Amino acid sequence: MAQEQTPKVTLKQLREKAGLSQEALARLVGVSSKTVSNWERGTNAASLTVPQMKALCEALGVTLHELPDDFRSERE
């Protein structure tokens, strides 16, 4: 039996669902807004400390397992 494919959730979608701007998320996580922008565009891989990961999850209202493995947006 084939498993249903759930659509990939992007960091941008999670951020927008949480009602946060890039600047607000950056402040909560302790990075620059340019860093958040780079993650969302896929130009830089995320490199976060454990406290930053916890802050990111809390800000987005998700668990670590709900974060996308790759922060890049899905490109067609």
Side-chain angles (χ1 to χ4, degrees), residues 8-15 22 25 29 31 35-49 52-57 60 62-75:
K8 279 194 159 189
V9 177
T10 65
L11 179 65
K12 181 178 180 178
Q13 290 170 324
L14 290 172
R15 177 180 57 76
Q22 288 181 339
L25 181 59
V29 176
V31 297
T35 296
V36 173
S37 174
N38 287 340
W39 292 342
E40 290 183 359
R41 290 182 295 125
T43 57
N44 284 356
S47 178
L48 299 169
T49 65
Q52 287 174 318
M53 286 299 291
K54 288 179 179 179
L56 178 63
C57 289
L60 297 175
V62 297
T63 66
L64 180 62
H65 296 290
E66 293 171 308
L67 285 177
D69 290 335
D70 184 348
F71 285 174
R72 293 178 224 177
S73 59
E74 291 300 304
R75 292 190 174 100

